[in-house]
Amino acid sequence: MDSATAREQALDAAEKLFYGRGVQSVGMDDLRGASGVSLKRLYQLFPAKEQLVEAYLERRDVRWRGLLAEAVARREDPRERILAVFDWLAEWFGEPDFRGCAWINAYGELGATSERVARQVRAHKRAFREYLGGLVADAGLPDALTGPLFLLAEGAMVTAGISGGAAPAAEAREAARLLLGRGRSSGRAGAG
Amino acid sequence: MDSATAREQALDAAEKLFYGRGVQSVGMDDLRGASGVSLKRLYQLFPAKEQLVEAYLERRDVRWRGLLAEAVARREDPRERILAVFDWLAEWFGEPDFRGCAWINAYGELGATSERVARQVRAHKRAFREYLGGLVADAGLPDALTGPLFLLAEGAMVTAGISGGAAPAAEAREAARLLLGRGRSSGRAGAG
DNA sequence: TAACGTAGAGAACGCACGTTCTCCCGTCAA
DNA sequence: TTGACGGGAGAACGTGCGTTCTCTACGTTA
């Protein structure tokens, strides 16, 4: 098995176990068992567990935002594209192994003790917010709408994670629709 | 030192340390040192660490909702009372040792492994949501507003926790004001 | 064949920590 | 005074786990 494959398998196992059970309750030995990659190899690829966590969050960030962008790209109308974010959240929340936002969870678990993890989380949330900001600008809506939309999405993620079920996504979508309606009249596109 | 005092001191230390550093990175020995309550006594009061965590969340829940209700009670107008929730969040976020929502953090850290903790978190969030629902009803507003307001508040908490700063509370307040519609509630009442 | 490098399996190590136990002291009843 | 008892300090115990080390097998090259 070459290095790239071993790395992917290690990250596959890390993602499955870290996301499902939390980081601290998963041992390096669990990762060896789930990935088929020996401990020796794991430590060659990632000098310490913390860096495996970092890599897990980073790879997931790329995929998560990629999937979101794909879903959004299927809509034409700029306003619809914003609402598509919440539709996509609803799909995500409905997945059988959904267990909340990986970054919010990781921050709650490790934010206070690992600066590297905290940085990953902040970077991910910043990227998501900027992506939303781009959708808002593309729709010619005031930039001030970005914050509220972002907060609705974050609230939906955290609530769906804690309470289970996809209902928060629908509530957030409806609220977003109302907010967009009010922001309609602005003629100053791309105000930022 | 009688039992009640020991219990309060133990919970004071637990709250300070668990909230500030996360649960798993605080040892029972740290709690002994910070509280002045011996290990023997700690284990008489709480048969296991998990139950100390539970008691910490429960006591904090009572105080947190009490402080919120106090702040809200200072306003007369029913719409203003809803907005007061977000003003109070802004105050909270601005406290120097603010480190996010204790329940969201605890859920991220222990939700997957401790059913007792998960229950505490769900109970707290349910109570907060029901409280908001009461404010919405008192204002004669449709119940469908409760969900969005709750999601805005949750999003503000999680974002303030991750990114630091009180700005999310103001954004959430503004979004809430738009959702409530153009009533008498225009600007900020009271201290700004 | 012999020497060598690589990789996997898993034992070993060191430490942290939840929980329990031991020892000792101060208090109070008789 | 004596003995029982409750409580504090902290050692001890058992376990889990991050990380490293050892042993063995195997393929490659001369």
Side-chain angles (χ1 to χ4, degrees):
Chain A
M1 189 198 301
D2 68 350
S3 269
T5 312
R7 190 185 156 89
E8 286 309 297
Q9 292 195 357
L11 287 173
D12 287 346
E15 184 154 359
K16 179 173 170 183
L17 295 182
F18 286 160
Y19 179 68
R21 292 166 31 194
V23 171
Q24 309 204 58
S25 78
V26 173
M28 293 300 283
D29 211 59
D30 297 321
L31 292 167
R32 180 184 57 75
S35 67
V37 176
S38 72
L39 275 182
K40 197 182 212 172
R41 205 89 115 104
L42 281 176
Y43 276 93
Q44 279 170 3
L45 294 164
F46 308 96
K49 189 185 183 186
E50 189 182 22
Q51 278 151 80
L52 179 50
V53 176
E54 208 183 342
Y56 141 63
L57 290 175
E58 195 172 351
R59 196 187 68 160
R60 190 178 169 103
D61 167 66
V62 170
R63 208 184 47 244
W64 189 90
R65 289 191 291 121
L67 289 173
L68 170 60
E70 264 180 40
V72 167
R74 287 191 214 106
R75 311 278 179 98
E76 300 275 331
D77 181 81
R79 271 157 205 265
E80 283 295 318
R81 287 158 83 98
I82 293 174
L83 295 177
V85 171
F86 296 92
D87 292 333
W88 183 73
L89 288 182
E91 275 178 46
W92 179 34
F93 298 169
E95 286 174 10
D97 56 353
F98 174 76
R99 215 183 67 72
C101 168
W103 295 271
I104 292 174
N105 290 344
Y107 194 86
E109 190 174 356
L110 301 167
T113 50
S114 164
E115 187 48 42
R116 300 178 86 121
V117 169
R119 254 202 308 273
Q120 279 296 322
V121 175
R122 284 193 285 263
H124 166 78
K125 290 305 182 190
R126 193 181 327 118
F128 175 49
R129 188 188 175 108
E130 280 169 9
Y131 175 73
L132 275 183
L135 295 182
V136 168
D138 290 348
L141 292 164
D143 189 52
L145 273 178
T146 304
L149 292 172
F150 175 71
L151 295 182
L152 283 170
E154 292 296 311
M157 286 182 224
V158 83
T159 300
I162 288 173
S163 308
E171 286 177 348
R173 183 193 204 276
E174 180 59 16
R177 210 173 55 76
L178 290 175
L179 289 174
L180 295 187
R182 291 192 177 270
R184 176 162 181 66
S185 62
S186 91
R188 44 185 207 115
Chain B
M1 187 198 304
D2 68 349
S3 269
T5 313
R7 191 186 156 89
E8 287 308 298
Q9 292 194 357
L11 287 174
D12 287 346
E15 183 154 1
K16 180 173 169 184
L17 295 182
F18 285 160
Y19 179 68
R21 289 163 35 192
V23 171
Q24 310 204 58
S25 77
V26 173
M28 293 301 282
D29 211 59
D30 297 321
L31 291 167
R32 178 183 58 76
S35 66
V37 176
S38 73
L39 275 183
K40 196 184 216 173
R41 206 90 116 100
L42 282 177
Y43 276 93
Q44 279 170 3
L45 294 164
F46 308 96
K49 189 185 184 186
E50 189 182 25
Q51 278 153 80
L52 179 50
V53 176
E54 208 182 343
Y56 140 64
L57 290 175
E58 196 171 350
R59 195 186 69 158
R60 189 178 170 103
D61 168 65
V62 170
R63 210 185 46 245
W64 189 90
R65 290 190 292 122
L67 289 171
L68 170 60
E70 264 181 41
V72 167
R74 287 192 213 105
R75 310 279 177 96
E76 299 276 331
D77 182 81
R79 268 156 209 262
E80 283 295 323
R81 286 157 84 97
I82 293 174
L83 295 178
V85 171
F86 297 93
D87 292 333
W88 182 74
L89 288 181
E91 275 178 46
W92 179 33
F93 297 171
E95 285 174 11
D97 55 354
F98 174 77
R99 214 183 69 71
C101 168
W103 295 271
I104 293 174
N105 290 344
Y107 194 87
E109 189 174 358
L110 301 168
T113 51
S114 164
E115 188 47 43
R116 301 178 85 120
V117 169
R119 255 202 309 272
Q120 279 296 322
V121 175
R122 284 193 285 262
H124 166 79
K125 290 304 182 191
R126 194 182 326 118
F128 174 50
R129 189 189 175 109
E130 280 169 9
Y131 176 73
L132 275 182
L135 295 181
V136 167
D138 291 348
L141 293 164
D143 189 54
L145 274 178
T146 304
L149 292 172
F150 175 72
L151 295 182
L152 284 170
E154 292 296 311
M157 287 182 223
V158 82
T159 301
I162 288 173
S163 308
E171 284 177 349
R173 184 194 203 273
E174 179 60 15
R177 206 172 58 76
L178 290 175
L179 288 175
L180 293 186
R182 305 190 188 282
R184 290 175 43 209
S185 49
S186 42
R188 246 174 210 233

